[in-house]
Amino acid sequence: MNNKSLKRFIILCLSPALILFSVFMIYPTFSVFLMSLYKWGGLSSNKLFVGLNNFKILMQDENFIRSFQNTVFLIVVVTIVTLVIAIMFAAILVKENVKGQNFFRVIFYIPNILSVVVISSIFSAIYDPGQGLINSFLSLINGDGFKSIQFLGNQDIVIYSIAGAMIWQAIGYYMVIYMAGMSSIPNQLYESADIEGASKVRQFFKITLPLVWDTIRTSLIFFIISSINLSFLFVKIMTSGGPDGASEVFLSYMYKQAYNNASYGYGMSIGVIVFIFSFLLSGVINKITKRDTLQY
Amino acid sequence: MKRFLAVLLALSLVFTTVACSNDSSDSGENDSGDGEKVLKIAGLNGGYKTEHWEAIAKKFEESHEGVKVELTLEKNISEVLRPQIQAGNVPDIIYLAVGGEGKLTDTLIKEKAIQDIDDVLEMDVPGEDVKVKDKLIDGFTDTLITNPYEDGKTYLAPLFYAPTGLFYNANNFDGKYEMPETWDDFMKLGEEAKGDMALFTYPTTGYFDAFFYALLNETGGPELFNKAMDYDVEAWKSDEAKKAFEIIGDIAKYTHENTVSQANGENFTKNQQLILDNEALFIPNGTWLPGEMKDAPRADGFEWGFSALPKVSEDGDSYSYTFFEQMYIPNDAKNADLAKEFMAYMYSDEAAQIIYDKSGAVQPIKGASDMMSDDDPNKLFYSIYDEGAKAAMGGFASAPPVEGVDLTSGTGILFGTINSVVTGDKTVDEWHGEVVEAVEKISEAKQN
């Protein structure tokens, strides 16, 4: 097969995927960009081209800004806490030869196979100000004078409550990924470090972390993007964005503007911001976490 | 190579166009293929369930040879219908109330995508010697909900009406407490009940629509209410309107401490449970509440009680907002004439009886409440208008959407902010100010 024929053959093989990708990815994305330039309710053919006006309004929309801040807060807090705990647990389970390692692996992984709806319901029950697990426990300690914590009713703490549920849901999955990465690190490296007198903490930072860095890096980007989607589901089920918008994230705000407020074009402009934000964030994370790959 | 790429691109373009275009061949009437005409009805599978729709569809098919009624009744009907409508597959009749989850009806109104049904009102009710308009209870086709454009035409047909007001445990007012007549009495009761139970709770802030509309009628009368619903800025700034905000601000002080935490789609029944557990005295709701909580545990001797809102003053009026649902024919319906016949049939005695028997819902037609059996507890609720309460009806007029300004939804500025007033994060003045500002923006958009 000559070079030209080979190229044709490759393109022919790729074309079904290219067509599907164009139809189901590129075209809808392009459509969202296009729709964001219109004032449109989403159902009729009655569209008014407004150019970038939707974006101008967005920049002054306090509710959007608040939803953006909440999303960024969730991304930062949930990502950091989840990854730190997942790496820590994975290191303990793999390197400390904890008995029943597989049992813990399964137990920690269970939240990941539960649907977000179920997890949200579980956490709604845990946060219940009347009979919830946390308030009941705290009232046992504090006695009669105890005043329930309004986990989902206090505007100052509701976003932390959402973060708690998201962290719980994600830890197991990432722990299992890191466990797989850590298991494949040759034991000789740790034995040598032991002989050299390196502490466990030093071994973790000098051997474990650098050798699973690529896994962490990949999972970090994946996790950040999935956090944006998951935060919408948690918020929609647990708080509906309330109280009074205190737990709104930008996907829930997009949904409300597109459907509740009949501002489909405006909703799509939020979608464009989400797209650009996710894209840029992935790029930034990719850049700042780039290190030389270590081989073993 | 270039030619090959061009063919590939052309193919993908054709594929995209075919995949994403509406079916232009489907522009005629719905037809099942064997000569049968198909009437497509889509609606909410809500508190009244679906049995009555199925029975009525069957009766309609029996009386219309060659007609098949195709029902699509879903709990998330907005989400089901939205993509279908966008794809050009529009039902002939939609049953989904204004303000419902997903706001599909609100969007269709704003997009002017609904047919007027004045000719339905002029039709004879099938099998009866009376016009639809004469069969309907006065006032139901004279509201901003049914006539959203104030052009003298009716677009949405009223269905299944129910009074709304305050529900309570009647046992608490059998010697223990005295039923408040005015809002001052109401707040006094709040002080009196302190330590025993909270005065008030609410399922979600969305339930304040009926509550607030009735209250606005009490503080400013129907004229102010109608102006306010038409986004009249001065009406919202008036002392009478402000009074309604202040009353809710006062009630906020006596609201059960767990209410806000539970005032969302997942946990609202926990707030309803507070009434059954004698942890709160009153809750705003509609007549579907006892049915919704029929299997829930309750305090010993619990008995549902229901009243209109207390009066602003002793010589004032007590109001109960009449909640009703709607059905309508979209502009792009393919069997509009048949849909109109079906609509007219919905107001027949036969259909009303089926609806009541199968679902407990009451049609807004003269004599419908007589169909209620004596042992139906709902009869007590429907009798509040006989006991002196005035009926409030209607809602906000249609207005063009203003990006970023959601005034009227359950989580919007007018009702959603109540959570912040209850928690103390916002004052009544701040809330009122935000509402006035939003009304100004919408009013401006309406005039342009």
Side-chain angles (χ1 to χ4, degrees):
Chain A
M1 194 181 276
N2 63 28
N3 206 22
K4 203 172 174 183
S5 301
L6 183 67
K7 271 186 185 171
R8 273 187 191 178
F9 179 72
I10 290 169
I11 290 172
L12 194 68
C13 291
L14 286 177
S15 56
L18 276 174
I19 291 172
L20 288 173
F21 186 74
S22 304
V23 172
F24 295 110
M25 289 297 293
I26 297 173
Y27 174 75
T29 308
F30 178 72
S31 297
V32 168
F33 275 86
L34 202 64
M35 281 187 278
S36 70
L37 305 176
Y38 286 88
K39 186 179 176 73
W40 182 39
L43 290 176
S44 72
S45 53
N46 187 14
K47 293 180 191 175
L48 178 69
F49 183 78
V50 291
L52 295 173
N53 196 45
N54 284 332
F55 294 93
K56 275 189 205 163
I57 300 169
L58 260 188
M59 294 305 116
Q60 291 153 10
D61 183 345
E62 285 175 15
N63 293 320
F64 170 71
I65 293 166
R66 179 149 79 150
S67 71
F68 190 86
Q69 287 167 341
N70 283 341
T71 308
V72 172
F73 173 84
L74 283 176
I75 288 172
V76 172
V77 170
V78 173
T79 305
I80 291 174
V81 175
T82 303
L83 294 187
V84 168
I85 296 177
I87 292 168
M88 198 174 75
F89 281 2
I92 291 169
L93 286 173
V94 172
K95 296 299 166 200
E96 296 305 314
N97 292 323
V98 175
K99 271 189 183 174
Q101 198 193 90
N102 284 337
F103 170 76
F104 285 114
R105 199 190 291 240
V106 172
I107 288 289
F108 276 98
Y109 194 76
I110 282 176
N112 203 262
I113 57 172
L114 295 176
S115 99
V116 174
V117 178
V118 175
I119 295 170
S120 301
S121 300
I122 291 170
F123 270 82
S124 288
I126 289 172
Y127 291 146
D128 187 293
Q131 279 90 40
L133 186 71
I134 303 176
N135 275 311
S136 300
F137 178 70
L138 291 173
S139 72
L140 269 179
I141 298 169
N142 292 290
D144 289 342
F146 175 72
K147 198 165 164 37
S148 293
I149 299 173
Q150 303 288 329
F151 288 100
L152 301 178
N154 184 328
Q155 299 190 18
D156 297 329
I157 59 174
V158 64
I159 201 73
Y160 295 94
S161 307
I162 301 278
M166 289 177 70
I167 290 166
W168 186 82
Q169 189 259 352
I171 282 175
Y173 177 74
Y174 290 95
M175 190 191 81
V176 170
I177 288 179
Y178 299 143
M179 280 176 81
M182 289 175 192
S183 302
S184 58
I185 300 173
N187 254 338
Q188 295 94 309
L189 295 174
Y190 293 98
E191 285 163 9
S192 307
D194 271 336
I195 294 165
E196 299 282 335
S199 68
K200 293 282 183 194
V201 176
R202 199 170 169 77
Q203 286 178 27
F204 173 77
F205 282 106
K206 295 291 179 187
I207 302 172
T208 311
L209 210 53
L211 290 177
V212 292
W213 187 252
D214 274 354
T215 313
I216 292 172
R217 202 169 154 236
T218 312
S219 64
L220 192 64
I221 294 166
F222 178 68
F223 185 50
I224 285 169
I225 304 300
S226 67
S227 291
I228 294 172
N229 285 326
L230 282 174
S231 62
F232 167 66
L233 294 172
F234 277 103
V235 162
K236 192 162 187 336
I237 298 161
M238 287 174 75
T239 63
S240 311
D244 195 14
S247 61
E248 206 80 83
V249 289
F250 52 25
L251 284 184
S252 63
Y253 190 63
M254 178 183 97
Y255 181 88
K256 282 181 182 169
Q257 283 300 315
Y259 299 126
N260 287 3
N261 203 33
S263 308
Y264 203 77
Y266 188 64
M268 291 309 103
S269 68
I270 299 173
V272 170
I273 298 288
V274 175
F275 180 84
I276 294 170
F277 175 76
S278 311
F279 198 73
L280 288 178
L281 196 62
S282 305
V284 170
I285 297 292
N286 207 18
K287 185 101 180 154
I288 60 175
T289 56
K290 201 170 185 180
R291 306 254 171 97
D292 289 336
T293 307
L294 293 177
Q295 303 283 334
Y296 51 87
Chain B
M1 186 65 199
K2 275 182 187 171
R3 193 185 296 163
F4 178 77
L5 278 174
V7 170
L8 191 67
L9 279 170
L11 266 176
S12 65
L13 192 66
V14 169
F15 191 82
T16 307
T17 312
V18 170
C20 302
S21 67
N22 296 339
D23 186 358
S24 58
S25 65
D26 194 22
S27 57
E29 291 186 335
N30 287 323
D31 199 301
S32 65
D34 52 4
E36 236 179 13
K37 217 179 231 186
V38 179
L39 179 69
K40 290 186 174 179
I41 301 176
L44 181 73
N45 174 1
Y48 296 127
K49 307 290 180 196
T50 61
E51 213 184 325
H52 56 298
W53 282 106
E54 285 149 15
I56 286 172
K58 203 174 167 192
K59 280 277 179 193
F60 190 75
E61 283 173 352
E62 282 168 13
S63 62
H64 288 72
E65 206 178 323
V67 170
K68 182 174 167 45
V69 179
E70 189 181 292
L71 292 172
T72 307
L73 300 162
E74 302 286 349
K75 288 187 191 302
N76 60 339
I77 192 67
S78 271
E79 288 164 25
V80 172
L81 282 185
R82 200 175 276 272
Q84 286 189 23
I85 293 173
Q86 281 174 337
N89 183 15
V90 183
D92 300 306
I93 291 181
I94 297 177
Y95 152 60
L96 182 64
V98 170
E101 180 70 21
K103 294 289 186 108
L104 180 81
T105 304
D106 304 63
T107 305
L108 287 168
I109 292 172
K110 285 181 179 179
E111 301 241 286
K112 302 206 167 168
I114 297 174
Q115 298 189 21
D116 80 78
I117 51 163
D118 281 355
D119 45 353
V120 175
L121 301 178
E122 294 296 334
M123 284 166 74
D124 281 337
V125 175
E128 296 174 26
D129 193 18
V130 59
K131 282 187 162 66
V132 170
K133 68 175 182 185
D134 298 325
K135 190 82 185 282
L136 282 160
I137 297 172
D138 293 341
F140 273 93
T141 52
D142 218 6
T143 72
L144 284 170
I145 289 180
T146 52
N147 310 30
Y149 307 120
E150 302 165 88
D151 57 357
K153 290 180 180 174
T154 304
Y155 291 81
L156 288 95
L159 284 179
F160 317 147
Y161 82 105
T164 64
L166 294 173
F167 280 82
Y168 54 88
N169 177 5
N171 198 29
N172 284 326
F173 295 93
D174 196 13
K176 191 175 179 184
Y177 296 116
E178 202 171 317
M179 195 65 191
E181 268 194 43
T182 64
W183 285 111
D184 286 341
D185 296 340
F186 194 75
M187 307 311 164
K188 273 182 206 157
L189 179 60
E191 285 295 324
E192 197 185 329
K194 255 185 187 170
D196 180 17
M197 63 182 98
L199 174 70
F200 188 78
T201 186
Y202 52 88
T204 67
T205 50
Y207 283 71
F208 273 97
D209 53 2
F211 185 93
F212 192 84
Y213 298 154
L215 186 57
L216 208 50
N217 271 283
E218 288 189 352
T219 58
E223 201 183 329
L224 181 101
F225 172 72
N226 286 327
K227 280 183 180 172
M229 293 298 103
D230 201 19
Y231 303 98
D232 182 320
V233 180
E234 292 311 311
W236 283 99
K237 282 181 178 170
S238 70
D239 291 342
E240 291 82 2
K242 183 81 188 291
K243 176 80 180 163
F245 285 83
E246 283 164 357
I247 287 173
I248 293 178
D250 288 339
I251 296 171
K253 295 172 196 157
Y254 298 103
T255 298
H256 193 285
E257 60 175 358
N258 295 351
T259 298
V260 175
S261 289
Q262 297 168 167
N264 52 61
E266 169 79 10
N267 297 311
F268 71 97
T269 51
K270 289 179 184 171
N271 284 337
Q272 296 178 171
Q273 187 65 42
L274 293 174
I275 300 295
L276 293 160
D277 290 341
N278 264 347
E279 285 195 45
L281 272 169
F282 293 101
I283 190 165
N285 220 303
T287 48
W288 54 87
L289 175 65
E292 196 170 47
M293 300 299 284
K294 70 176 188 299
D295 298 324
R298 58 204 64 208
D300 287 341
F302 183 92
E303 199 183 327
W304 284 110
F306 178 61
S307 79
L309 300 194
K311 303 169 186 173
V312 172
S313 61
E314 276 182 18
D315 56 351
D317 292 318
S318 175
Y319 272 88
S320 160
Y321 182 80
T322 307
F323 179 83
F324 63 86
E325 301 182 61
Q326 303 92 42
M327 61 178 168
Y328 50 89
I329 304 169
N331 277 351
D332 297 332
K334 296 181 179 70
N335 286 315
D337 290 339
L338 195 58
K340 286 174 182 173
E341 280 181 49
F342 185 88
M343 263 191 180
Y345 174 66
M346 284 290 281
Y347 297 111
S348 66
D349 286 343
E350 183 182 69
Q353 190 68 56
I354 292 171
I355 290 166
Y356 176 70
D357 291 344
K358 303 280 184 191
S359 69
V362 182
Q363 279 289 67
I365 56 171
K366 286 166 186 159
S369 57
D370 298 338
M371 291 175 185
M372 299 177 84
S373 59
D374 288 338
D375 57 345
D376 185 344
N378 275 324
K379 200 161 188 174
L380 166 80
F381 307 147
Y382 280 83
S383 69
I384 63 166
Y385 298 125
D386 303 331
E387 291 162 7
K390 288 192 170 182
M393 265 194 275
F396 278 97
S398 174
V402 177
E403 285 72 17
V405 181
D406 173 13
L407 180 70
T408 57
S409 82
T411 53
I413 296 162
L414 180 54
F415 306 124
T417 312
I418 290 171
N419 275 334
S420 281
V421 176
V422 173
T423 56
D425 288 296
K426 272 182 191 158
T427 63
V428 168
D429 283 344
E430 286 170 333
W431 174 34
H432 181 245
E434 284 177 14
V435 170
V436 169
E437 195 184 329
V439 170
E440 276 171 343
K441 285 180 184 168
I442 297 170
S443 176
E444 201 181 323
K446 204 166 175 246
Q447 282 157 21
N448 290 335

